[in-house]
Amino acid sequence: MVGILGFLPALAQALDKPGFNWKSLIIGFSAAHYLFETYLSLRQYRVLQRESPPKALEGAIDQETFIKSQTYSRAKSKLGFVSSLYSFLLDTSFIFFDALPKFWGIAGTVLKLWAPARFTGEISQSVVFFLGYNFVSTILTLPLSIYSTFVLEEKFGFNKQTPSLFITDFIKTQLLTVVIGGPLLSAFLKIIIYFGGQFFYYLWLFTLVFQVIAIVVYPILIQPLFNKVTPMEEGKIKTEVEKLAVQLKFPLKDLFVIDGSKRSAHSNAYFYGLPWKKHIVIYDTLIAKFEADEVVAVLAHELGHWALSHTTKMLIIQQIHLFTIFVLFSVFISNMSLYQSFGFGHQKPVMIGFILFSDILEPLNSILAFALSLLSRKHEYEADAFAVKLNYARELSLALIKLHIQNLSTMDADWLYSSYHYSHPILPERLRAMRWKNEKKEE
């Protein structure tokens, strides 16, 4: 590994070119990404104007439901156009008007005025900068979030949040950002500063340990702040799921129901936990609106991901990706021309360096996101096939149709847009792969 990474110092030196306009490069990357995303969204919007469902859905989705789905998807797409343009203009303005050094200077001033002397170093200033910058960014995007929840989702009958719950969630999220984000960022920066040029090994190990701890801590300490999770009552669903877990040798520890209806009418189910102790969580909306066999079929699909090692494969890919990011960051962390291009003079704050590095990495991340979407779609087909082998083809097909009807999910999509954005194949593709036949249509 040392030999393979031996080129990093030479690469770092080659990229540190005095006077190079990194600001224009990053703005160019951002503009190219925005234009590409807009192009894809326009392609998708044309599909959302169709008035007839795909042939694969004939007899399964009636015309009225399809039109509602298309209308809902167009409404979200229009908001997406506004949101992406707003974000692009906001990010570009922050870069063009040197918001980063100004925020950094304000963070330093705050520490000098109100913090003890021992809290005036780079790490403390980075924490104050992060919390302040994050809060301002959140406030600036808050109107779009409010519109999405209380106008768009409300219009189509999905929103169940009250203004008081929305505000409470916002306050809790900001407090968690302070309580968890502050110490986490401090440790992140301390590792980089302490270990110098070899920090990426130790930083990757730290993030891996944190992820494992988060898996254990989140359902115990964080999730209860937002949702009520209760053990599932005895009944057919619990009996069938436990039977399925035994059949697949799935290490099921608990089966929970979460009050998803507290915020939304959308339905879902998922599992989490350590390799030897898993927990399954089912939304109360799923239990209320679906037959027991259909709920079990959905979970058969989810357990298919576990049985086929999809979660393990994705975890390995994520860790490789994370390690690669840290390695590449080591090339830019001391790039003086990068900092100076953004108005930082002779300062080289690690926090700022990572933000700018993330912007430079945007084209590579877009390619990776596309590749991961393709892999995820492949996994979804395989998980569907797994459930079919367990004789849940009919139940899973009906459950997917119901999910799309009740969630008004997008039922048709442009092939390029869906390949890039969707982690799941669209409904017609999944039904065709499972060779679903509409029983009503055959009659």
Side-chain angles (χ1 to χ4, degrees):
M1 179 65 74
V2 175
I4 297 175
L5 299 178
F7 72 96
L8 293 178
L11 180 60
Q13 185 175 3
L15 290 172
D16 192 356
K17 298 180 178 180
F20 184 80
N21 195 342
W22 288 99
K23 182 184 288 187
S24 295
L25 180 68
I26 290 177
I27 290 177
F29 283 163
S30 181
H33 183 260
Y34 166 73
L35 291 174
F36 177 66
E37 291 278 1
T38 302
Y39 166 70
L40 292 180
S41 296
L42 287 171
R43 288 177 61 106
Q44 175 64 5
Y45 195 81
R46 284 196 292 269
V47 174
L48 296 177
Q49 292 176 314
R50 294 173 182 170
E51 297 182 353
S52 300
K55 289 184 179 180
L57 300 183
E58 288 181 1
I61 305 295
D62 60 63
Q63 184 69 16
E64 182 182 358
T65 301
F66 180 74
I67 293 300
K68 284 182 180 179
S69 169
Q70 292 287 82
T71 304
Y72 177 52
S73 295
R74 285 198 302 272
K76 290 193 295 181
S77 182
K78 289 176 183 176
L79 179 60
F81 283 122
V82 174
S83 178
S84 59
L85 176 60
Y86 179 68
S87 296
F88 171 68
L89 293 176
L90 195 63
D91 293 343
T92 303
S93 298
F94 271 38
I95 294 173
F96 189 80
F97 294 106
D98 291 329
L100 290 178
K102 291 174 182 176
F103 271 103
W104 181 256
I106 291 172
T109 301
V110 168
L111 286 175
K112 288 180 182 179
L113 291 176
W114 288 296
R118 62 193 181 95
F119 290 113
T120 56
E122 179 183 335
I123 293 179
S124 298
Q125 189 169 349
S126 296
V127 172
V128 173
F129 167 86
F130 164 72
L131 295 176
Y133 191 82
N134 178 73
F135 182 75
V136 170
S137 299
T138 301
I139 293 299
L140 289 174
T141 57
L142 193 59
L144 290 173
S145 179
I146 292 173
Y147 178 86
S148 175
T149 301
F150 293 105
V151 179
L152 195 153
E153 293 293 306
E154 185 77 29
K155 178 180 178 180
F156 290 91
F158 291 122
N159 177 51
K160 302 300 178 184
Q161 285 196 77
T162 60
S164 61
L165 180 59
F166 184 90
I167 294 171
T168 302
D169 282 352
F170 175 81
I171 294 173
K172 289 178 181 178
T173 302
Q174 295 306 308
L175 289 175
L176 285 173
T177 301
V178 174
V179 173
I180 299 176
L184 185 63
L185 177 60
S186 297
F188 180 92
L189 297 173
K190 187 69 175 180
I191 291 171
I192 293 175
I193 294 171
Y194 182 83
F195 289 103
Q198 303 298 311
F199 72 84
F200 43 83
Y201 294 111
Y202 307 97
L203 191 58
W204 173 73
L205 286 173
F206 170 74
T207 55
L208 180 61
V209 171
F210 175 77
Q211 288 171 2
V212 173
I213 294 174
I215 290 174
V216 177
V217 171
Y218 176 80
I220 299 174
L221 299 179
I222 299 177
Q223 190 174 53
L225 296 175
F226 298 92
N227 290 96
K228 183 179 181 181
V229 179
T230 55
M232 177 174 284
E233 297 179 356
E234 296 295 332
K236 184 176 180 180
I237 294 178
K238 184 177 182 180
T239 301
E240 292 299 319
V241 171
E242 289 175 342
K243 186 188 299 182
L244 181 62
V246 172
Q247 178 185 344
L248 300 177
K249 296 181 180 179
F250 178 77
L252 178 61
K253 173 65 176 177
D254 299 296
L255 191 56
F256 294 117
V257 177
I258 188 170
D259 62 341
S261 58
K262 182 179 180 181
R263 290 177 176 78
S264 173
H266 294 299
S267 302
N268 203 356
Y270 61 92
F271 69 85
Y272 68 90
L274 299 171
W276 56 87
K277 187 172 68 173
K278 299 290 187 181
H279 313 271
I280 292 177
V281 180
I282 306 175
Y283 278 51
D284 56 355
T285 48
L286 189 66
I287 295 174
K289 299 177 181 179
F290 287 70
E291 299 294 331
D293 290 340
E294 294 168 350
V295 175
V296 176
V298 171
L299 291 174
H301 165 92
E302 295 300 328
L303 296 187
H305 287 303
W306 170 82
L308 298 170
S309 301
H310 291 163
T311 50
T312 302
K313 291 174 184 176
M314 292 300 287
L315 178 62
I316 292 173
I317 291 173
Q318 289 168 2
Q319 296 309 312
I320 294 174
H321 176 224
L322 196 60
F323 182 76
T324 303
I325 286 177
F326 292 154
V327 170
L328 292 176
F329 178 46
S330 71
V331 174
F332 288 90
I333 190 171
S334 298
N335 191 313
M336 198 70 239
S337 63
L338 176 62
Y339 292 96
Q340 289 178 344
S341 183
F342 283 84
F344 278 90
H346 295 287
Q347 290 183 303
K348 294 186 292 184
V350 175
M351 174 75 188
I352 300 298
F354 193 76
I355 292 174
L356 299 179
F357 164 73
S358 299
D359 290 335
I360 293 172
L361 209 62
E362 189 171 20
L364 181 61
N365 281 335
S366 296
I367 295 172
L368 180 63
F370 175 63
L372 289 177
S373 290
L374 293 179
L375 179 60
S376 176
R377 288 158 66 87
K378 178 177 178 292
H379 286 170
E380 293 302 322
Y381 280 126
E382 292 174 350
D384 282 347
F386 183 86
V388 170
K389 289 181 181 179
L390 295 174
N391 297 317
Y392 286 107
R394 177 181 177 276
E395 291 81 2
L396 180 59
S397 298
L398 292 174
L400 290 174
I401 291 169
K402 282 187 178 182
L403 276 170
H404 279 70
I405 291 174
Q406 293 176 5
N407 293 339
L408 290 181
S409 303
T410 302
M411 301 177 191
D412 201 0
D414 172 75
W415 70 270
L416 184 57
Y417 179 90
S418 61
S419 297
Y420 184 81
H421 279 291
Y422 289 171
S423 60
H424 290 57
I426 60 175
L427 180 59
E429 295 171 335
R430 296 179 72 174
L431 294 180
R432 278 196 296 265
M434 289 190 289
R435 298 180 180 178
W436 176 77
K437 294 182 180 180
N438 186 358
E439 297 169 356
K440 293 183 180 179
K441 187 176 178 181
E442 289 182 347
E443 291 176 2

